[in-house]
Amino acid sequence: MRDTPVTGAIMTPDTQQPPAALAPGSAGIVRPECAQFDMPLALAGGTSLERYQLVYETYGALDADRSNAVLVCHALNASHHVAGCYEDDPGNVGWWDNMVGPGKPLDTERFFVVGVNNLGSCFGSTGPGSINPATGKPYGPDFPVVTVEDWVHAQARLADRLGVERFAAVMGGSLGGMQALAWSYLYPERVAHCLVMASTARLSAQNIAFNEVARRAILADPDFHGGRFYEHGVVPARGLQVARMVGHITYQSDDVMAEKFGRALRSGNYGFSFDVEFEIESYLRYQAEKFSRYFDANTYLLITRALDYFDPARECGGDLARALKPATAEFFVASFSTDWRFSPEHSHEIVQALLRNGRNVTYAEIAASHGHDAFLLDDPQYHALVRAYFERIAEVQGGR
Amino acid sequence: MRDTPVTGAIMTPDTQQPPAALAPGSAGIVRPECAQFDMPLALAGGTSLERYQLVYETYGALDADRSNAVLVCHALNASHHVAGCYEDDPGNVGWWDNMVGPGKPLDTERFFVVGVNNLGSCFGSTGPGSINPATGKPYGPDFPVVTVEDWVHAQARLADRLGVERFAAVMGGSLGGMQALAWSYLYPERVAHCLVMASTARLSAQNIAFNEVARRAILADPDFHGGRFYEHGVVPARGLQVARMVGHITYQSDDVMAEKFGRALRSGNYGFSFDVEFEIESYLRYQAEKFSRYFDANTYLLITRALDYFDPARECGGDLARALKPATAEFFVASFSTDWRFSPEHSHEIVQALLRNGRNVTYAEIAASHGHDAFLLDDPQYHALVRAYFERIAEVQGGR
């Protein structure tokens, strides 16, 4: 098992970070933990999971009054491994290591940070690749379709287990931001601050369309075997690769792709074939191949569906302010100028709904060239804002 | 064989046009013609086609002085069937029927209009599905990779055959616009006016990336059989469908997708499955399935590669003005505000290069909500501009 960032951009060879153990400000050597839950979890789809496990990591120490916990929620293909690295795998650096660590914007010398792998994922928490106790075989397609809200309910149980009654903050980017937002209205009394980056309160038709392309590619791969590929000793690598390529394009801005790759050719000349010729092709294939070696195809289906379904306003006649009415947290919302997956307009909608409800909102629209991926990168303006926000939280708490 | 528009949008049930035979201003019943060429055509890739055929249609009549011919070049999945309909298939209306016909912006009572299916395509001109005389089997992957310039050279031979020394205009949208542009520098003395809509002088990294996803989907389909699927009696329908879905998303603006589909559900409720649930999914699958029934997978590979390769400035150190230096035509260039495939900036680059060369350029940036597809739709402002441009051409010629 190797964890990777939410999108591949920060793991590309040209931007790969040095082992965290060596880097100043690193969370250092970390170890994942596992929590077992034997009480059934009712799911939005009408079924329930009888028992499950959640894999998580923590960084920093919980205060005596248990008031300094921060939950970091992950996006599509990331995991509980938010920061630091593993003793036996020092190159495996957490996906948000630039954000979380001693002295970093989310300072683990002040805060007790929790990263948790979501249900249905493939990094240790119960998911389609786990053994279904009812059959003794992997769940595969029998793993229930889960929602952002289902994840939040499972995370709340983990918080109980950790003795965290109320989070100082719940935060996340993209799909992680949806979870943070869902915490604010599902468990208002348990969230003091909510940080929602590069996210949305609902996918657009175009967003859903890209997810559907990815799912089609996976479902159409003969090695998918209706989701029971585990039993056939294969993985639908080709479908997963196409899915990943589509995703990857939407994570980056046109501009940054132009700047990084442009029309550069690998050999300098046209080969008049369908092999890799342009650098951008090579990059996409490399990322896709890497992805298909560690990511689970059923998980990809589940997580894209959770993205599609997230729409808190849906049960309120489309009125997002009404859906967010229960929330009492203070909010930090950030968007990035070149993010065309969840453009700043998506964040505006959230901010406007919160302001209509009289919530306290800090909103930053950050000029950044990297598109959706920007929330993962250490843009100085962005990090300074997050740092300032957490410093304020710490001060209000009588920070240490 | 059914021809369809360059992108599927104008063939969807909600916008399908009545049979042209009944519509006022229709080019009426038309009949494709076929021209055989036995002189080898040297190709950019270094090989040559020994013999080939081009299927074409004409509308209107060639003047006695042969000065009123207009060549209409097609884009990715369209054909020679530009306008009118077939006697035995009245519902099969040409892909640019709203633009070309008696009294239409490109008025077939004044102009002799030629539509030609490009080499490598799958609508009658020689392509991968044609019999390779060397083997007696379909070319399949042995059909050479062709370029925009190759197409133009083949079109020039067809013009010779038709007795057209010089076109009053060469026009096209998207990939068709690239051909029009290539005519202007390859055969400057043969083009009086050049109309380039929703096009570009070179694909961006993002454009190439989307093409690469489409190609991967096709190449990875086990039914592709290395391009020799004809001999196996199958077609790589699943790969083609994914390719088409990706393309389709890029042809439409986010806004128009939101307006047409939004987050509407087919059943009104979430089904907690990976079946079609959102209207946008249903639409994409419908379009993709239709496409996979008539379009050739090898052609899709070839045409996306021709798109990738088009880059006239490449041999001039990136200097587009220098590449376009030979052109003597007057130009009409149009872009569409919500086209994110070939955004207005792509057209700006062409216009600026032409102006640097002292060319006469009419440029229109049209406010249109439909994205790249807009060049196919009958936006009144757009059509009025094209009409006015052709009226000016006709007048200068001493129009009839």
Side-chain angles (χ1 to χ4, degrees), chain A residues 199-202 204 207 341-350:
Chain A
S199 194
T200 179
R202 64 182 144 228
S204 70
N207 294 147
R341 184 181 174 90
F342 300 147
S343 67
E345 286 70 31
H346 286 255
S347 288
H348 295 173
E349 199 191 358
I350 296 171

Side-chain angles (χ1 to χ4, degrees), chain A residues 145 203 205-206 212 215-216 222 254 262-263 270 272-275 277 281 285 301 305 308-309 311, chain B residues 145 203 205-206 212 215-216 222 254 262-263 270 272-275 277 281 285 301 305 308-309 311:
Chain A
V145 171
L203 265 63
Q206 190 190 67
E212 172 64 3
R215 283 191 294 265
R216 277 290 98 191
D254 191 17
R263 298 181 48 84
Y270 289 164
F272 295 94
S273 80
F274 308 121
D275 293 339
E277 294 195 25
E281 294 175 309
R285 288 202 202 179
L301 300 180
R305 214 33 151 180
D308 292 351
Y309 280 170
D311 185 5
Chain B
V145 170
L203 265 62
Q206 189 190 68
E212 172 65 3
R215 284 192 293 266
R216 276 290 97 191
D254 191 16
R263 298 181 47 84
Y270 289 163
F272 296 93
S273 80
F274 308 122
D275 292 339
E277 294 196 25
E281 295 175 309
R285 286 202 203 178
L301 299 180
R305 214 32 150 183
D308 292 353
Y309 281 170
D311 185 5

Side-chain angles (χ1 to χ4, degrees), chain A residues 63 84 97 99 105 111 113 121 128 133 141 147 150 224 250 302 312 322 345:
Chain A
D63 271 353
D97 193 74
M99 180 68 88
F111 292 99
V113 178
S121 185
T147 65
D150 291 335
F224 183 64
T250 69
L302 284 170
R322 189 140 66 87
E345 286 70 31

Side-chain angles (χ1 to χ4, degrees), chain B residues 122 127-130 137-141 223-225 227-236 296-299:
Chain B
C122 49
S130 307
K137 291 181 186 172
Y139 279 99
D223 287 337
F224 182 65
H225 292 289
R228 303 202 190 277
F229 51 89
Y230 316 98
E231 300 162 40
H232 292 78
V234 292
V235 293
D296 181 271
N298 285 310
T299 293

